Amino acid sequence: MQNRGGESTSVSNKNKCPRCMQCDTKFDFLTRKHHCRRCGKCFCDKCCSQKVALRRMCFVDPVRQCAECALVSHREAEFYDKQLKLLLSGATFLVTFGNSEKPDMMVCRLSSNQRYLLLDGDSRHEVEVTRIAAVQMLTEGFPPGEKDMHTYTSLPGSQPVSEGGNARATGMTLQYRAPGAEGVTQLKLTAGEDANGSRRQATAWLVAMHKAAKLLYESRDQ
């Protein structure tokens, strides 16, 4: 098959990526070209040698990825194995909608299809995950003079909340775009006590949600 220039399509496709996009090695009979299953870019075997499961793209078995994508996929795999179950089970929070002065006691959890945050109490609300524009963690336990909150938006450079450090997650604010509404809507979650009078489950849920937000924005940037 030929294109308009008279060149065969197969030759034309090969010329579109004649070199490794990482180390600039030229592809030839001995140096084979491989495609990263996550970003789709072409690399030599050395620069695309890691094989990692890619669950969000329905690759359950490990597939070839470049070093940068493999790092993100490893973090996603850790999230699926450790944090996802926690988000699905939910936790108790004091929930404040917009500028309301009175919070409501509600259970917040991730829906089984991982598309919505569900809030159940005297009323029921849901927030579509893809409509979340910014996540801000509220923490305590910093040394004097340091800020007590971390913000994660689509911009790089935000600081993560540590699970093992001195800072402890106490709440979270979400900004999201509600269907049919102009601008963004704000939702504040403050860690509440469970049936045993403990906030441990809510604190762990907040840390897991923060990690989920980071993965969401990293995937958007790719």
Side-chain angles (χ1 to χ4, degrees):
M1 181 177 178
Q2 293 184 332
N3 56 25
R4 293 181 180 180
E7 183 180 24
S8 68
T9 303
S10 60
V11 173
S12 177
N13 289 338
K14 289 181 180 179
N15 290 336
K16 288 181 179 179
C17 187
R19 296 177 178 275
C20 174
M21 300 180 76
Q22 178 66 38
C23 67
D24 203 38
T25 298
K26 185 177 181 180
F27 297 125
D28 54 28
F29 182 74
L30 296 178
T31 305
R32 301 284 302 278
K33 175 170 60 177
H34 300 277
H35 286 88
C36 172
R37 293 298 185 269
R38 187 182 185 104
C39 66
K41 297 177 181 179
C42 53
F43 302 91
C44 66
D45 179 71
K46 182 179 179 181
C47 295
C48 194
S49 60
Q50 298 190 54
K51 292 187 176 182
V52 188
L54 189 51
R55 299 187 192 179
R56 76 180 185 91
M57 295 178 67
C58 300
F59 289 108
V60 178
D61 295 326
V63 293
R64 189 183 291 271
Q65 299 180 48
C66 65
E68 183 177 354
C69 287
L71 183 62
V72 177
S73 294
H74 276 301
R75 288 200 291 265
E76 285 185 350
E78 181 183 3
F79 169 76
Y80 278 108
D81 292 337
K82 295 182 180 180
Q83 278 79 40
L84 183 57
K85 292 181 180 179
L86 183 59
L87 292 176
L88 292 172
S89 62
T92 302
F93 294 94
L94 292 173
V95 182
T96 305
F97 296 93
N99 296 322
S100 174
E101 297 181 357
K102 183 180 179 181
D104 297 317
M105 185 72 74
M106 308 183 82
V107 173
C108 184
R109 61 183 177 85
L110 186 66
S111 64
S112 58
N113 61 9
Q114 303 167 34
R115 293 181 57 190
Y116 299 93
L117 285 182
L118 305 177
L119 299 104
D120 292 305
D122 292 337
S123 59
R124 179 182 173 87
H125 300 265
E126 61 181 35
V127 177
E128 190 172 352
V129 172
T130 57
R131 290 183 174 272
I132 297 176
V135 175
Q136 183 180 72
M137 289 290 290
L138 307 177
T139 61
E140 65 180 13
F142 280 93
E146 292 192 19
K147 294 183 178 180
D148 64 347
M149 52 188 169
H150 292 286
T151 302
Y152 197 91
T153 66
S154 56
L155 298 177
S158 64
Q159 299 294 320
V161 176
S162 172
E163 291 182 80
N166 294 325
R168 182 172 64 90
T170 59
M172 170 183 290
T173 59
L174 301 174
Q175 292 183 351
Y176 63 96
R177 298 178 178 86
E182 295 184 2
V184 295
T185 302
Q186 181 165 297
L187 175 70
K188 181 180 179 182
L189 305 175
T190 302
E193 296 181 351
D194 58 20
N196 298 319
S198 173
R199 292 188 175 90
R200 182 175 298 179
Q201 177 76 4
T203 299
W205 193 96
L206 290 168
V207 173
M209 183 60 196
H210 184 260
K211 291 185 177 182
K214 290 185 65 179
L215 291 175
L216 176 63
Y217 289 118
E218 286 173 352
S219 65
R220 287 177 180 175
D221 291 339
Q222 288 189 327

